[in-house]
Amino acid sequence: DAESIARRAERAYARFLMEYLREVGRGSAGEATRNPLTIGPGVEEALAAGRGLVMCTAHLGNWEMGARALARLGRPVTIVAEPQYAPSWRAAVRASKRAGGMEVVAPDVSPRPLVRALEQGAVIGLLIDVMHYAHGRVTRVAGLDAPLPTGPARLAALSGAVLAGGTCFRVAPDRFASQLAALAGTERAPVRDADALHAACARWLQDLLLAHPGEWCLFRPFFEPAGLARARRAA
């Protein structure tokens, strides 16, 4: 029930935070063994051909560990995210990410440099279960309405990059499994239809939330109230 899922999410977040901070403290030695990255069919071939990668993820499992695994692709990695964690930690966490090959930019960054970077083969990572991106669209997810960011779909459509979903889950004490899988056939060829790519992001998020509800660590409203959602649709 809802209370049980909420308590599982609380425990999942506490575990996530301790595991991530421990990893930051000890550096990258042995990380590939503790957190192997599995890449779906066609993605590595597309990257080898010079295409960029837009990776969607969500606040499930250990998303920070999943982001760290991206650096092993050997490409410049940019993470689009709000200011993170307690103010007293932020500088250290940001420095750790930079040392691990990741640059963090704010959600209101201009998309133009991101598109140019993707055209040159870069990797962009975004969390899509948030509400504060400038461009969003009310989208049906698991039977409810949510203002889902359109940024991942727009970036992939404009740049011709691979659009993918990424996850990282704890599989044993001090062991994780990160996965990266292409969405909407973008590993085969660029897809310029941003609406189709946005729909693929919504389906991916829906399947993820339904499969792992007790791992979803988002402690703020995400879905719109039913009355507001009905008013939006009527308008």
Side-chain angles (χ1 to χ4, degrees):
D1 59 14
E3 182 176 352
S4 174
I5 290 174
R7 290 187 182 280
R8 286 164 54 197
E10 290 171 351
R11 290 193 296 269
Y13 185 78
R15 185 174 63 234
F16 145 77
L17 191 58
M18 295 300 102
E19 290 174 339
Y20 172 60
L21 292 177
R22 178 183 61 191
E23 202 68 27
V24 168
R26 67 185 179 186
S28 59
E31 189 175 316
T33 300
R34 294 190 301 274
N35 180 22
L37 175 63
T38 301
I39 302 175
V43 175
E44 289 182 288
E45 292 80 359
L47 297 181
R51 295 172 61 198
L53 173 72
V54 178
M55 187 207 71
C56 302
T57 191
H59 292 89
L60 277 101
N62 198 314
W63 58 95
E64 293 280 15
M65 292 295 294
R68 288 171 69 93
L70 285 180
R72 290 183 230 135
L73 294 174
R75 305 295 182 90
V77 178
T78 298
I79 304 297
V80 181
E82 299 170 354
Q84 298 169 298
Y85 307 114
S88 58
W89 301 354
R90 285 177 188 166
V93 170
R94 198 179 189 97
S96 172
K97 290 186 176 181
R98 188 173 290 116
M102 293 179 285
E103 190 65 39
V104 180
V105 299
D108 59 357
V109 66
S110 170
R112 293 178 183 175
L114 299 181
V115 170
R116 287 196 296 269
L118 288 167
E119 290 173 341
Q120 296 169 8
V123 175
I124 308 292
L126 307 96
L127 287 153
I128 63 172
D129 56 344
V130 295
M131 298 180 64
H132 301 294
Y133 288 108
H135 300 285
R137 180 188 305 168
V138 176
T139 306
R140 203 73 170 165
V141 178
L144 298 169
D145 288 306
L148 204 63
T150 58
R154 293 170 63 239
L155 288 172
L158 289 170
S159 67
V162 177
L163 179 65
T167 59
C168 178
F169 289 104
R170 181 178 186 263
V171 294
D174 202 27
R175 291 290 184 273
F176 305 88
S178 292
Q179 294 186 325
L180 188 66
L183 303 176
T186 52
E187 76 280 16
R188 296 189 292 272
V191 175
R192 304 294 182 178
D193 186 342
D195 290 338
L197 295 179
H198 183 75
C201 289
R203 288 192 298 272
W204 173 82
L205 180 61
Q206 172 179 281
D207 292 345
L208 191 62
L209 297 182
L210 292 176
H212 303 278
E215 293 273 348
W216 194 24
C217 303
L218 190 71
F219 304 112
R220 59 189 176 196
F222 177 65
F223 297 106
E224 290 197 334
L228 177 58
R230 284 195 298 270
R232 284 184 184 274
R233 288 197 296 272

